[in-house]
Amino acid sequence: MKDILQEIIASKRVELVTVKKKRNSMKQALAESDSGIIAEFKMKSPSKGWIHPDIRVEDVVQQYANGGASATSILTNTEYFGGEDVFIPRVRGLVPLLPILRKEFIIDRYQVYEAKVLGADAILLIAAAITPEEYADLLQTAHCIGLEVLLEIHDEKELTYLSAGIPDMLGVNNRSLGTFHTDVQHSFDIAEKIQEAVKDLSEEEKPLLVSESGISSPEIVKKLRDVGFRGFLIGEYFMQDAEPGKVLAEFITQLKSLN
């Protein structure tokens, strides 16, 4: 007599293999892109207040996808950035092929599982906000449920986090989270040190480098590419305009003309 339970379990195992593989790779999208632009939806800043309080996430992210963004970053922190968790599920079905980064201050496993349920493809982990041990745990948790990780550092000391685990992407925040002073030169200054820190890794293992904040021209992106960066997170430069997607499209067109 056929064992129905065993048959169901066998079928479920096959189904899970397919489901777990079905995700957008932000790292791959950036690596294969000519621009590498991660266009961010950001309504508010702790230093500048409301940037664009009345705009809809659905409209902006759809514009980003149409304008050629390689990925999008969506801030879900409410108190300081005006974000909401529901922003991600609102746009997930509209841009099924566009990798979504959940940008949040993640300090607990619960938030990692939450990101997966919301529909994100990748999460941000900020070295300054967690210990190396906490980072290792959150990284492993994310990878176990099919999420990629962008580890954000600000200074050379935080490169030690790589010994606790290699992220899919390594971001350099050009904005100090303490003072909120921004200087894109920071990415150039630390680029060589990053290359030294990952030199013994295979090309497949090496994290893709992302420069975050303060990027305001295609010329800067081109120079950052020359020193090894392949992802460029840009938010306020696009969001301060009435049509963020149009500014993005023009930015990418200018960038391509420089290549």
Side-chain angles (χ1 to χ4, degrees), residues 39-142:
E40 184 164 86
F41 181 78
K42 178 180 181 180
M43 300 178 71
K44 181 182 177 184
S45 163
S47 60
K48 297 184 178 179
W50 288 99
I51 301 168
H52 213 146
D54 301 320
I55 204 159
R56 296 170 70 244
V57 66
E58 297 93 330
D59 296 335
V60 174
V61 173
Q62 184 73 73
Q63 291 172 19
Y64 282 162
N66 294 340
S70 304
T72 187
S73 167
I74 298 180
L75 279 145
T76 58
N77 179 272
T78 303
E79 183 174 359
Y80 296 99
F81 292 91
E84 295 181 35
D85 292 343
V86 294
F87 284 172
I88 296 177
R90 280 184 190 171
V91 302
R92 179 70 285 173
L94 298 175
V95 290
L97 301 181
L98 186 70
I100 295 176
L101 170 72
R102 184 193 187 190
K103 197 173 184 186
E104 179 60 273
F105 295 88
I106 294 179
I107 56 175
D108 189 276
R109 284 185 193 176
Y110 177 86
Q111 295 168 287
V112 179
Y113 295 123
E114 188 178 51
K116 183 69 173 181
V117 172
L118 291 172
D121 300 295
I123 59 170
L124 176 74
L125 294 180
I126 304 172
I130 51 179
T131 66
E133 293 74 23
E134 289 170 332
Y135 159 66
D137 179 65
L138 295 171
L139 175 69
Q140 182 179 27
T141 300

Side-chain angles (χ1 to χ4, degrees), residues 2-19:
K2 184 184 294 184
D3 188 325
I4 300 299
L5 176 60
Q6 292 303 314
E7 183 178 328
I8 293 172
I9 295 302
S11 174
K12 181 56 66 175
R13 290 187 189 283
V14 173
E15 179 185 331
L16 283 172
V17 169
T18 303
V19 170

Side-chain angles (χ1 to χ4, degrees), residues 241-256:
D241 193 90
E243 297 182 76
K246 182 179 179 181
V247 179
L248 163 70
E250 291 171 351
F251 190 99
I252 291 178
T253 296
Q254 293 172 27
L255 179 59
K256 288 181 178 179

